[in-house]
Structures are given as structure tokens and as C-alpha cells.
């Protein structure tokens, strides 16, 4: 009986592993996974930002509802990209700085999870970029929560 369980277990693992690889996909144009109830105005504005002509879309990958998009462009293009994201209604923007490998051709990336946080976009600036000058990077203005009304 033990000799029969090992091959069955291995077959089950291989069958599920094959299915999980099918969930990874390449993107040849900007796109994100949106839930059905995602606000239409936010979707429209966000897709317009992701397709800005002053930024070069370099490709992307997806896994289930998680998306990773790569972009090329100079500091001005990134500043305009970030500013446009802040104008998308209901969207939360965060920024991170990351030293991508030299062979990773991008100046910044966009990360999004359509299930966990569909209204959150994370822009990761490549610290190895030859085009993005941190001295000229304009991090968007952030507003904290409103102060409580005076009693």
C-alpha cells in the first residue's frame, strides 16, 4: 500500500504544479486586473496614466490578479506619471525605491493587486536608472487624515 501512495502523491503534485504555471502571463501592453465593482472613473483615469505617450511601456507580467508593469522614461516623464496617478479618484499611491539588477531594463515599475488592494498602486523607482535623477524627482504631495472638528 505504501508503494502505491508515493507515485499517486507525486502525480497529484505534478498535476497541480502544471495548473499553477498557467496562471502566470506576459503583458505586451499596460493592463491591470480590476474587480467587477471597481469604480469606473478610477479605472478610466488609471488606464490613461498607464498608457501615457511620454512613458515607454517595456512589458509586464501577471500572476492571478497581481500585475507588475515595467516602464522607461526620464525624470520628467516619471514626475508627470506620478502626478497623474494622484489625480485618479479613489486611488492610493505609494512609492518605493529599489536597486534593480543592471540587466533589468526599466526606470520604474508599477505593482498592483486586483484582489488584495485594488485601489492601491505602488510605483518602484529603479535606483540604477540612468534616466531618472533623484535630485529632480518630485514625490507627490500626501495629505494625512482630516483633523477632528473642534468640540
Amino acid at each position: 500500500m505504501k508503494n502505491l501512495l508515493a507515485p499517486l502523491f507525486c502525480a497529484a503534485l505534478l498535476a497541480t504544479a502544471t495548473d499553477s504555471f498557467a496562471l502566470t502571463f506576459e503583458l505586451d501592453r499596460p493592463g491591470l486586473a480590476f474587480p467587477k465593482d471597481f469604480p469606473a472613473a478610477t479605472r478610466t483615469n488609471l488606464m490613461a496614466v498607464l498608457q501615457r505617450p511620454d512613458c515607454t511601456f517595456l512589458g509586464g507580467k501577471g500572476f492571478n490578479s497581481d500585475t507588475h508593469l515595467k516602464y522607461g522614461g526620464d525624470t520628467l516623464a516619471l514626475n508627470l506619471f506620478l502626478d497623474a496617478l494622484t489625480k485618479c479618484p479613489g486611488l492610493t499611491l505609494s512609492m518605493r525605491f529599489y536597486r534593480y539588477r543592471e540587466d533589468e531594463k526599466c526606470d520604474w515599475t508599477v505593482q498592483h493587486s486586483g484582489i488584495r488592494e485594488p485601489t492601491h498602486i505602488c510605483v518602484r523607482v529603479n535606483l540604477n536608472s540612468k534616466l531618472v535623477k533623484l535630485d529632480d524627482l518630485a514625490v507627490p504631495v500626501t495629505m494625512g487624515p482630516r483633523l477632528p472638528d473642534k468640540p
Side-chain angles (χ1 to χ4, degrees), residues 7 11 13 18-19 22 27-28 30 42 49-50 67 87 92-93 107 118 120 122 125 129 137:
L13 278 177
T18 303
D19 289 342
L27 295 168
D28 58 358
T42 305
V49 174
L50 296 178
T67 311
K87 294 180 174 133
T92 300
L93 170 66
D107 297 301
H120 177 246
C122 180
V125 179
S129 170
L137 183 63

Side-chain angles (χ1 to χ4, degrees), residues 59-86:
K61 292 184 179 182
F63 179 75
N64 288 343
S65 68
D66 291 348
T67 311
H68 183 88
L69 308 174
K70 297 191 303 186
Y71 285 88
D74 61 12
T75 313
L76 177 60
L78 176 56
N79 285 341
L80 293 171
F81 187 88
L82 294 169
D83 184 60
L85 284 174
T86 65

Side-chain angles (χ1 to χ4, degrees), residues 8-139:
L8 287 175
F9 181 71
C10 288
L13 278 177
L14 288 174
T16 57
T18 303
D19 289 342
S20 68
F21 289 124
L23 301 175
T24 301
F25 53 92
E26 297 286 326
L27 295 168
D28 58 358
R29 63 179 184 245
L32 301 174
F34 296 109
K36 289 181 184 178
D37 61 345
F38 195 84
T42 305
R43 178 191 320 244
T44 301
N45 289 322
L46 182 52
M47 290 308 298
V49 174
L50 296 178
Q51 299 171 33
R52 291 180 58 89
D54 54 350
C55 305
T56 304
F57 177 72
L58 301 173
K61 292 184 179 182
F63 179 75
N64 288 343
S65 68
D66 291 348
T67 311
H68 183 88
L69 308 174
K70 297 191 303 186
Y71 285 88
D74 61 12
T75 313
L76 177 60
L78 176 56
N79 285 341
L80 293 171
F81 187 88
L82 294 169
D83 184 60
L85 284 174
T86 65
K87 294 180 174 133
C88 293
L91 191 69
T92 300
L93 170 66
S94 65
M95 289 183 64
R96 298 187 187 243
F97 299 88
Y98 187 75
R99 199 169 301 282
Y100 286 91
R101 295 183 327 261
E102 292 293 331
D103 63 339
E104 185 84 30
K105 303 291 184 211
C106 67
D107 297 301
W108 70 88
T109 64
V110 172
Q111 296 176 331
H112 176 257
S113 174
I115 291 177
R116 286 185 310 238
E117 297 179 280
T119 58
H120 177 246
I121 293 289
C122 180
V123 174
R124 293 181 73 154
V125 179
N126 184 358
L127 293 172
N128 286 329
S129 170
K130 306 273 189 271
L131 298 176
V132 175
K133 306 299 179 210
L134 292 181
D135 290 347
D136 298 324
L137 183 63
V139 175

